[in-house]
Amino acid sequence: MSDATALLDDPQEWSAFGRLCGAATEGELPADGRWESHVVLEGMHCAACALTIEDALRQVPGVAEADVSAATRRARVVWSPGQVLPSQWMEAVRKAGYRAMPAMDAFVREQRQRESRRALWRWLVAGFCMMQVMMYAWPAYQAMPGDLTAEMEQLLRWASWVISLPVVLFACGPFFSSALRDIRQRRVSMDLPVALGMLITFVVSMAGTFDPAGPFGREVYYDSLTMFVFFLLTGRWLELRLRDRTAGALEAVMNRLPDSVERRTAEGGFARVATRRLQVGDVVRVLPGEAFPADGHILAGSTQADEALLTGESTPVGKSPGSTVTAGSHNLRSAVEVEVDALGAQTRFGQIVALMEAASLQKPRLAQLADRVARPFLVGVLLAALLAAVWWWPTDPGHALMVAVAVLVVTCPCALSLATPVAMLTTAGTLARSGVLVRNLQALEALATVDTVVFDKTGTLTHDRLTVSGTQVAPGAGLAPEQALGLAAMLARHSLHPVSRALVAAAAETEKPSLPWTLDEVQELPGAGLQARAWQMGQQEVILRLGSAAHARVAPMEGQQVVLSAERAGQVAELARFALSEALRPEAASVVRQLRSAGIDVQLLSGDRSAAVQGVAARAGIDVAHGDCTPQDKLQRLQALQAGGHCVAMVGDGLNDGPVLAGAHASFAFGKAVPLAQSRSDIVVLGDNLAPVALTLLLARRTLRIVRQNLWWAAGYNAVGVPLAIAGYMPAWLAGLGMALSSLLVVMNAARLARIPGGDAVAISQPAHSTPMPVEVA
């Protein structure tokens, strides 16, 4: 156990790479509850490695859960501090032949850079040596009988052997060390057949070099060895670069917090401390270009913040003293002083990271199938190579061993194990950059087959706020419409009711008229609105009331109405009436058209009045809409659709749609409407726009198509390559090239998901704007 690993046993360090499971109670110590930690793994290459690490962790007393992803090379470990410490379960990973490191930004970057440098050096050495060996092998291929003397041919063999040594001793190091680890652990991984192929090729060639008259002296295969090592390393290096660039988009979101920040000291100055040492109530100074380390509010300074990766909104947001800032967003303009309000898992950023880490470690059903067949398939590979060698041995022992090498290399199922997880994680990373958080990777599979989308109304198709759509002043009231709205807003400022907020917002957008009114004793009457004593200069005192509409004394208005009235000497006079509506999201109609053009049926379910629901449906272009639905009614209608053979996705605000969101095949919720940790949805839209719903559906379809392409390619490649290798028509170097290209093709095909097709992006994110129309909503 290293000293660095032992330092992680300090409870103060646990929050840097994990969080306490469940809600911590007041006064609870870090060692009191179960912890969920995330680590990055070094030395793993395939699905068999992931299964080995999971088995090793689950055998440690005190480890309750362990999930390992071969695509992201990350692990999630749930453990009890009373039974085990991080150094102990990390030691179990080390004994299994791998290395676990805390999933902190500095560690991840350092490991990735170190791994890339080593891979590049091995590739360069293999490439240089391959060229030299090919130069020495060329005369033997081109020479006619009698052109080369036996001494010259032997000299070229010895030169090739010397040049091949760096390839075997250095460039092949990862393959041999992984295979040796497998043998010690009595298991099989994808590196074992490859390492056996390399070793057999080198030993056979070396035997031919040292004993030209022996059974293996007819031919040497240094050129084949160096070529397929070079091809394999080329594939792995490019695969590493592509995987870091595509699936690494998830880490780009998860590693947004700074490692350190300037904190105000007792003397009033600022000293730089580790972010994990902050406490609620601390005052920190965030410089331009730095990320905010915690949720808080600005005490001094003004700036703009980039919240794109947290909300999906690319426009910088202005921040002034008193404004709230979010952990993970970036300070763009000037230094500000911020008081810390929430840290770690209590921040919105912490909730996003927790859900993304959980999603990145999930294994879709197709990936689980590939993992289950990986080990039996590898055993079958070894048996096939052995049988091929036995079949060819009587004819030519040297050729028999090279046929076995070709079988070992060509059948390595790297492409099969990468086919599904790389595509799914690339899509999740692309959506994360667009402000869409995938909580459940399996939902992408279901989403690709969705044929019906059901929307909630309030807060989903419409904004979750009311707007004033019209003002009518009663005859003889003596008020202009702007004055009536301003007077109503004076009353409404004393209430947080949605109607009051709508009136205040509408008054703020109009020219402020002169209002010679004075208000006193403003009170909110439950169920009746607002009331206040009011008077004008030199006039009698009146009672102003703002509440729901009674019998109309002015022309009727559409939608929900609120009335401003005045009572003087027992006589009530209506002054003005305001029509309120929920504004349809400007992109709603465009998103509905986009879904319907993709062959997806769209329906609307709402608990609001049927008349209001039908009005919204007509404006949005939805033909089937049902109002007056309780949560149970929504669930029953959803289940009726599913019983009819439809695959249904539900889009709601997450507040009262829990049962129907959980019951759908796939579900969306808007992150602003509900705490992320309590959301029942599979996918959370972090911004305030419906367009990502259509984007996610179309991208899920593309993802499933690419997964199927990858699986068909991996299966087809093996179906063609194995018979050719067994028949002796595929040399070892060509087998290595085929294996490298198969893995590379799978990753490159998945990398197409890292970008959104231009046509789709324009169609979705740029809805057609038309002349605003009044919306009939209550």
Side-chain angles (χ1 to χ4, degrees):
M1 183 191 307
S2 66
D3 294 338
T5 305
L7 289 174
L8 298 176
D9 291 343
D10 182 357
Q12 291 189 348
E13 299 291 332
W14 297 348
S15 60
F17 62 103
R19 60 189 56 83
L20 195 61
C21 293
T25 57
E26 186 175 355
E28 184 176 14
L29 298 175
D32 291 341
R34 183 177 288 184
W35 275 77
E36 176 186 296
S37 297
H38 292 262
V39 293
V40 175
L41 299 164
E42 188 174 8
M44 64 177 296
H45 302 288
C46 64
C49 297
L51 296 175
T52 299
I53 297 173
E54 286 181 354
D55 292 341
L57 285 169
R58 288 168 181 166
Q59 291 173 7
V60 178
V63 173
E65 299 177 34
D67 298 299
V68 180
S69 169
T72 60
R73 300 184 184 181
R74 297 171 72 98
R76 167 184 169 270
V77 185
V78 178
W79 52 283
S80 300
Q83 297 177 269
V84 68
L85 293 173
S87 63
Q88 294 171 322
W89 52 259
M90 286 186 182
E91 179 67 11
V93 174
R94 189 194 66 78
K95 287 181 179 178
Y98 306 89
R99 184 185 176 200
M101 298 182 298
M104 293 183 287
D105 190 24
F107 283 97
V108 174
R109 281 200 304 264
E110 182 182 346
Q111 182 211 8
R112 186 184 298 119
Q113 292 170 357
R114 186 170 61 249
E115 187 177 5
S116 280
R117 282 195 298 267
R118 283 200 300 256
L120 181 59
W121 271 110
R122 290 192 178 95
W123 177 72
L124 290 173
V125 168
F128 177 78
C129 293
M130 177 197 67
M131 290 186 292
Q132 296 300 311
V133 170
M134 288 299 298
M135 184 176 66
Y136 295 142
W138 185 257
Y141 286 124
Q142 294 298 312
M144 301 299 291
D147 288 350
L148 278 179
T149 64
E151 291 80 5
M152 179 56 70
E153 186 175 356
Q154 188 64 11
L155 179 62
L156 292 175
R157 288 188 178 187
W158 278 100
S160 298
W161 176 73
V162 171
I163 297 297
S164 299
L165 284 175
V167 177
V168 174
L169 298 178
F170 175 67
C172 296
F175 301 103
F176 289 143
S177 60
S178 179
L180 187 61
R181 180 178 63 212
D182 292 341
I183 293 171
R184 285 200 303 261
Q185 300 288 336
R186 296 182 179 87
R187 63 172 187 252
V188 179
S189 75
M190 293 178 193
D191 280 343
L192 182 58
V194 174
L196 279 175
M198 294 174 179
L199 186 61
I200 291 171
T201 306
F202 184 69
V203 169
V204 169
S205 301
M206 191 166 62
T209 302
F210 284 78
D211 184 13
F216 304 110
R218 189 171 64 88
E219 189 177 356
V220 294
Y221 306 95
Y222 296 116
D223 53 337
S224 294
L225 170 66
T226 54
M227 283 181 70
F228 83 72
V229 170
F230 174 72
F231 291 144
L232 290 179
L233 291 177
T234 300
R236 283 209 172 178
W237 184 66
L238 291 175
E239 177 191 323
L240 179 67
R241 295 291 301 272
L242 285 169
R243 185 180 58 225
D244 287 343
R245 205 178 75 189
T246 55
L250 294 174
E251 288 185 359
V253 178
M254 291 190 281
N255 294 320
R256 294 270 289 183
L257 294 187
D259 298 325
S260 62
V261 68
E262 294 183 356
R263 181 175 63 182
R264 180 183 289 173
T265 63
E267 294 77 20
F270 286 90
R272 189 161 288 274
V273 298
T275 299
R276 62 180 178 274
R277 301 293 182 183
L278 292 179
Q279 297 180 354
V280 174
D282 285 347
V283 176
V284 298
R285 181 167 60 190
V286 182
L287 304 177
E290 289 185 337
F292 291 99
D295 287 356
H297 60 277
I298 295 179
L299 296 179
S302 297
T303 187
Q304 287 187 329
D306 176 9
E307 300 179 346
L309 283 181
L310 300 178
T311 65
E313 300 294 336
S314 58
T315 305
V317 181
K319 301 292 182 180
S320 56
S323 299
T324 58
V325 293
T326 307
S329 59
H330 272 91
N331 181 13
L332 297 180
R333 285 202 169 180
S334 59
V336 291
E337 295 180 12
V338 177
E339 182 176 345
V340 175
D341 294 334
L343 288 162
Q346 281 68 48
T347 64
R348 181 177 180 80
F349 175 80
Q351 294 178 11
I352 291 175
V353 168
L355 297 183
M356 292 185 72
E357 285 179 330
S360 68
L361 289 165
Q362 290 174 357
K363 295 180 180 178
R365 284 181 289 272
L366 291 174
Q368 292 173 9
L369 177 62
D371 287 356
R372 284 196 299 270
V373 303
R375 280 179 174 169
F377 186 84
L378 287 169
V379 174
V381 167
L382 296 176
L383 291 175
L386 178 61
L387 292 175
V390 170
W391 175 265
W392 282 96
W393 189 270
T395 306
D396 184 348
H399 182 66
L401 290 177
M402 295 312 296
V403 168
V405 168
V407 174
L408 287 172
V409 175
V410 79
T411 53
C412 188
C414 292
L416 183 65
S417 67
L418 289 171
T420 300
V422 169
M424 292 289 186
L425 289 170
T426 302
T427 297
T430 302
L431 291 172
R433 293 196 303 270
S434 303
V436 179
L437 177 60
V438 180
R439 301 180 69 245
N440 182 4
L441 282 183
Q442 293 189 2
L444 288 176
E445 293 182 34
L447 204 59
T449 59
V450 161
D451 58 17
T452 305
V453 174
V454 177
F455 284 95
D456 180 42
K457 180 180 71 68
T458 307
T460 304
L461 278 178
T462 64
H463 289 289
D464 56 358
R465 61 182 184 274
L466 293 169
T467 59
V468 176
S469 58
T471 302
Q472 289 188 356
V473 179
L479 293 171
E482 296 79 8
Q483 291 177 315
L485 183 59
L487 185 58
M490 288 179 65
L491 272 171
R493 287 189 182 94
H494 296 83
S495 171
L496 295 177
H497 193 277
V499 170
S500 299
R501 291 202 301 267
L503 291 168
V504 172
E509 294 175 359
T510 61
E511 183 179 351
K512 296 178 173 56
S514 174
L515 293 173
W517 288 84
T518 302
L519 301 184
D520 192 14
E521 297 181 9
V522 180
Q523 54 182 321
E524 190 165 7
L525 306 176
L530 292 163
Q531 176 179 294
R533 294 172 53 239
W535 59 89
Q536 289 179 284
M537 185 73 66
Q539 295 194 18
Q540 183 182 357
E541 176 184 307
V542 298
I543 302 296
L544 283 181
R545 293 190 179 91
L546 184 66
S548 57
H551 296 291
R553 296 186 180 183
V554 295
M557 300 174 66
E558 294 182 345
Q560 180 179 349
Q561 298 176 41
V562 62
V563 170
L564 176 67
S565 60
E567 180 183 345
R568 179 184 288 112
Q571 299 293 320
V572 178
E574 185 174 314
L575 301 180
R577 182 174 293 239
F578 308 96
L580 302 172
S581 65
E582 290 177 292
L584 186 71
R585 295 182 185 272
E587 74 280 1
S590 175
V591 170
V592 171
R593 286 196 303 271
Q594 183 78 16
L595 293 173
R596 295 181 69 171
S597 66
I600 299 173
D601 185 36
V602 181
Q603 298 189 16
L604 175 60
L605 295 178
S606 175
D608 207 345
R609 295 179 300 106
S610 291
V613 171
Q614 295 298 331
V616 169
R619 306 298 184 194
I622 299 175
D623 296 330
V624 180
H626 300 281
D628 297 312
C629 294
T630 64
Q632 186 61 31
D633 292 336
K634 292 182 181 180
L635 183 59
Q636 289 176 354
R637 291 187 181 275
L638 177 77
Q639 291 171 341
L641 286 170
Q642 292 172 332
H646 295 282
C647 188
V648 185
M650 179 70 195
V651 186
D653 61 6
L655 290 171
N656 57 359
D657 298 321
V660 71
L661 287 173
H665 290 101
S667 54
F668 294 81
F670 283 87
K672 288 187 176 181
V674 65
L676 297 179
Q678 300 174 11
S679 177
R680 301 290 298 276
S681 64
D682 300 309
I683 298 167
V684 178
V685 180
L686 298 176
D688 194 26
N689 194 305
L690 277 176
V693 174
L695 166 65
T696 306
L697 280 161
L698 296 179
L699 198 55
R701 288 185 172 185
R702 288 186 62 214
T703 302
L704 193 59
R705 284 199 302 269
I706 284 179
V707 166
R708 287 171 176 164
Q709 291 169 6
N710 287 348
L711 291 173
W712 275 111
W713 163 253
Y717 157 74
N718 280 283
V720 173
V722 172
L724 289 176
I726 293 176
Y729 293 119
M730 180 175 285
W733 67 266
L734 185 58
L737 178 61
M739 174 193 165
L741 288 179
S742 66
S743 298
L744 188 59
L745 181 63
V746 163
V747 177
M748 291 181 67
N749 196 30
R752 297 188 316 166
L753 295 166
R755 62 180 180 84
I756 302 170
D760 290 346
V762 172
I764 296 171
S765 61
Q766 301 294 334
H769 294 282
S770 57
T771 305
M773 301 177 66
V775 182
E776 194 172 6
V777 183

